[in-house]
Amino acid sequence: QESLVASGGGSVQTGGSLRLSCVASLYAYKDKCMIWFRQVPGKEREGIAHMESDGRTSYADSVKGRFTISRDDVRKTLYLQMDSLKPEDTAMYYCATEGEEGRVVPMPYNAVCRLGLFTYFSQGTQVTVSS
């Protein structure tokens, strides 16, 4: 069973930091483009950070300069370091793996994940930023 398990969410004050982790099974990780996206109830999903298997990254403007995506190929883990958090970052955060079939996650036009379809999804981890 292919899987992604996300963790690391929590409650912080404005300006604080959190690091999210996403542990993947082998097939859901190897040679795949992976992303972090977030969703607020009633709003569309937003693909905020994207990383190809070759290390190339891209970000949504809303998080550029504050969030950093990285991956550890030995641990098959995707990370999202979130610094200078703002109340508008409050959302449920998910990781996902790109594939040739699956669901669309809206991303910037220049995102490194080119297919735009995502096959494997983690459960959400809540991030709450208070002012």
Side-chain angles (χ1 to χ4, degrees):
Q1 179 96 18
E2 306 308 327
S3 67
L4 298 173
V5 179
S7 62
S11 297
V12 297
Q13 292 190 323
T14 297
S17 297
L18 285 172
R19 188 175 82 152
L20 306 184
S21 299
C22 172
V23 179
S25 60
L26 178 62
Y27 189 76
Y29 182 91
K30 186 175 171 57
D31 298 327
K32 304 288 198 307
C33 199
M34 298 184 72
I35 67 167
W36 287 97
F37 70 95
R38 62 189 182 188
Q39 189 162 26
V40 175
K43 294 191 175 180
E44 194 174 50
R45 287 175 285 186
E46 179 188 15
I48 55 170
H50 336 104
M51 191 166 192
E52 258 292 9
S53 56
D54 63 6
R56 289 177 296 127
T57 61
S58 55
Y59 298 90
D61 287 344
S62 58
V63 306
K64 197 175 295 182
R66 300 187 298 121
F67 291 10
T68 304
I69 189 172
S70 61
R71 58 198 292 168
D72 183 329
D73 290 344
V74 173
R75 293 181 170 82
K76 298 191 295 297
T77 301
L78 184 75
Y79 299 101
L80 185 68
Q81 178 65 41
M82 304 187 295
D83 297 318
S84 302
L85 283 161
K86 305 175 182 179
E88 50 264 44
D89 295 318
T90 295
M92 191 72 78
Y93 284 70
Y94 305 82
C95 60
T97 300
E98 191 176 49
E100 295 186 357
E101 59 183 16
R103 290 178 280 168
V104 172
V105 176
M107 296 186 294
Y109 75 96
N110 59 348
V112 294
C113 299
R114 304 306 300 176
L115 295 178
L117 291 175
F118 294 86
T119 305
Y120 303 111
F121 292 78
S122 69
Q123 87 293 357
T125 185
Q126 178 68 38
V127 172
T128 303
V129 185
S130 57
S131 57

